[in-house]
Amino acid sequence: MDELSRRKMLLTGGALGAVGALGVASPASARSVWSWAASGSVAGSGAGTDPQWVWDEEADRLLGAVLDRGDVPKVNELLRTWTRNDQPLPAGLPPDLRQFMERARQLPSWADRKKLETAARFNEARGLYLNILNGIGGGMLSTAIPREARAVYYSKGGADMEDRVAKTSKLGFAVGALDAYRPDGTCVVEAVKTRMVHAAVRNLLPKSPSWSDTSGGQKIPISLADMLVTWHTLPTYAMRKMREWKVPITSAESDAHLHVWQVTAHMLGIRDEYIPASWEAAEAQSKQLLDPVLGPTREGVELTDILLGQLAEQTSPGSVDRPLVNAFARYLVGDRIADWDGIPREPFWESAVKTAWPPLVAFREGLIKLPLVPKIAWTIDEAARKYILFYLSKGRAIHLDIPDANRPA
């Protein structure tokens, strides 16, 4: 075992040992019987089926056929030319795939254009917070979700995490763009492509012995419950943290931000009966779905180290800012999740972040004057800005391709 792996495993040994059952059992077994009421969804009703046992059946069958026919390379080449919401689908796509994509690209009947425009303006005004919370905070939460960490690690993208992070960022930045669901935007494109990637992974991962040996009995990855868990690491978590930070948000902005993520959930293939209709319903669902399944894994620790290492290298060549990155990540998700993720303690920077970040937010929002902001806050602010620039550029430069294999051994 190399020194980095040995150090990380020693660091997290206590946490892994304390909840060792999470390493071998299905995380979903930790939560109670599905009880979230579909009356709290955008559909207003539903069958009440536990989403743990629901997948994206139409997309899964279709992508299984695309994989079996060996069409993935041709499809990926064609899809690289499809980049705008209003753009016709590329000529030459297999007929069954074209028919599916034409249906999948349609916005739900309940999509509200006025709310989507309000959400776009809110995302522009609060982009710094949202990108930090979705990128660093959501990323650290995702690596503490055993099913997600293992699905990422053992899929094809897990072998190149910089590429994987960039691809994941594309959808997030598409959602947050000013033109997200406008004709010239890209959110429809990225959501449909992501939906097809998920379907391909569902067909591929069960063939991976490494994933099967660590899946805790799950036979098919990325159930709708798993997708909802991930969804809550983004809008639900971000809204909760912005409220904790006392960021001024109007009710119209709050409703609109939820709405853009409701539409995105639908576009990703999540059934309307599972999409929360309000922040209260989202918090209730998050408590049942996300909170009980968090825990440590070897794969999650390794992925966290790679993600934070990438960020530190971008914010400061030579990784001299890795302690600051560690401390900021720990501040965003708290000590329990940070320990599960194997994030080292950084006493100086942890104290600095806790002291400097709240007044920095207050200053940005015009709530306090400049003399009350600690000088060290600008070091943190600069690191955050470089992080945003790094991930924005990566988000634009990468193509979201359908995988045709799992992670190489």
Side-chain angles (χ1 to χ4, degrees):
M1 181 182 292
D2 62 54
E3 187 57 36
L4 176 61
S5 298
R6 181 181 294 109
R7 177 172 62 82
K8 286 292 176 186
M9 292 312 294
L10 286 172
L11 181 67
T12 58
L16 287 167
V19 287
L22 281 171
V24 295
S26 169
S29 65
R31 68 173 172 85
S32 59
V33 175
W34 176 249
S35 60
W36 189 79
S39 59
S41 71
V42 295
S45 63
T49 306
D50 189 336
Q52 179 185 349
W53 307 109
V54 182
W55 291 267
D56 192 351
E57 295 178 6
E58 182 183 11
D60 295 351
R61 285 195 302 270
L62 175 61
L63 267 295
V66 172
L67 286 161
D68 290 343
R69 296 194 302 252
D71 284 345
V72 170
K74 178 182 74 173
V75 168
N76 280 336
E77 183 178 356
L78 291 170
L79 290 182
R80 288 191 174 201
T81 67
W82 186 46
T83 58
R84 284 174 48 122
N85 295 337
D86 62 352
Q87 187 179 351
L89 294 177
L93 287 172
D96 54 355
L97 185 64
R98 171 180 290 277
Q99 292 171 9
F100 167 77
M101 291 177 65
E102 287 291 7
R103 292 193 304 275
R105 70 186 298 187
Q106 304 303 314
L107 295 186
S109 60
W110 43 265
D112 185 323
R113 285 288 180 185
K114 285 188 65 176
K115 285 186 177 181
L116 292 176
E117 287 298 315
T118 300
R121 293 191 295 272
F122 175 71
N123 286 332
E124 183 179 42
R126 299 289 184 262
L128 176 71
Y129 308 135
L130 290 168
N131 286 320
I132 287 171
L133 290 167
N134 290 338
I136 305 177
M140 296 304 96
L141 287 173
S142 69
T143 54
I145 301 168
R147 279 188 177 179
E148 182 166 350
R150 286 166 174 150
V152 168
Y153 189 88
Y154 293 113
S155 63
K156 186 175 182 179
D160 184 348
M161 279 306 295
E162 182 170 345
D163 179 74
R164 175 68 169 75
V165 170
K167 288 178 177 177
T168 302
S169 300
K170 282 206 78 175
L171 177 61
F173 286 125
V175 175
L178 192 58
D179 58 1
Y181 282 105
R182 292 176 185 170
D184 58 337
T186 63
C187 211
V188 170
V189 173
E190 301 306 335
V192 173
K193 288 182 180 180
T194 300
R195 184 176 177 183
M196 293 191 294
V197 167
H198 286 166
V201 170
R202 291 190 195 98
N203 281 274
L204 292 166
L205 264 189
K207 301 173 184 176
S208 164
S210 297
W211 178 80
S212 297
D213 290 345
T214 60
S215 67
Q218 188 181 37
K219 301 301 183 184
I220 305 172
I222 319 179
S223 68
L224 293 197
D226 295 327
M227 293 180 67
L228 287 162
V229 165
T230 302
W231 189 88
H232 286 297
T233 68
L234 298 165
T236 309
Y237 163 75
M239 183 56 68
R240 186 188 309 142
K241 295 300 290 186
M242 285 190 292
R243 285 171 173 162
E244 286 179 14
W245 294 346
K246 297 180 173 55
V247 176
I249 301 171
T250 68
S251 59
E253 289 171 333
S254 174
D255 291 346
H257 186 62
L258 176 61
H259 188 68
V260 74
W261 280 101
Q262 290 168 331
V263 172
T264 302
H266 175 96
M267 301 301 290
L268 289 170
I270 296 176
R271 296 183 186 179
D272 290 357
E273 68 180 275
Y274 299 123
I275 302 173
S278 67
W279 287 116
E280 292 75 19
E283 287 288 356
Q285 190 184 85
S286 180
K287 284 181 173 63
Q288 181 171 13
L289 282 181
L290 173 60
D291 295 0
V293 302
L294 293 166
T297 61
R298 178 187 64 81
E299 295 86 355
V301 169
E302 186 171 336
L303 293 175
T304 298
D305 188 65
I306 292 169
L307 295 174
L308 293 182
Q310 288 176 1
L311 176 55
E313 288 170 5
Q314 294 302 317
T315 57
S316 180
S319 296
V320 296
D321 276 344
R322 178 61 187 265
L324 169 55
V325 170
N326 291 340
F328 197 49
R330 185 173 281 272
Y331 175 74
L332 291 175
V333 297
D335 288 337
R336 182 181 66 155
I337 291 170
D339 288 343
W340 284 344
D341 277 340
I343 302 173
R345 299 301 303 247
E346 308 287 354
F348 170 78
W349 280 112
E350 286 175 40
S351 176
V353 171
K354 287 178 182 177
T355 301
W357 186 254
L360 181 59
V361 171
F363 170 73
R364 286 185 172 279
E365 300 305 319
L367 302 177
I368 63 172
K369 296 187 180 298
L370 185 59
L372 298 176
V373 181
K375 288 184 179 179
I376 203 165
W378 304 110
T379 301
I380 299 168
D381 184 68
E382 177 68 7
R385 277 198 322 102
K386 288 183 178 179
Y387 157 78
I388 299 302
L389 290 173
F390 166 59
Y391 279 104
L392 279 172
S393 64
K394 288 293 178 183
R396 287 195 301 267
I398 204 77
H399 295 286
L400 190 58
D401 291 331
I402 297 168
D404 56 3
N406 291 313
R407 179 182 180 132

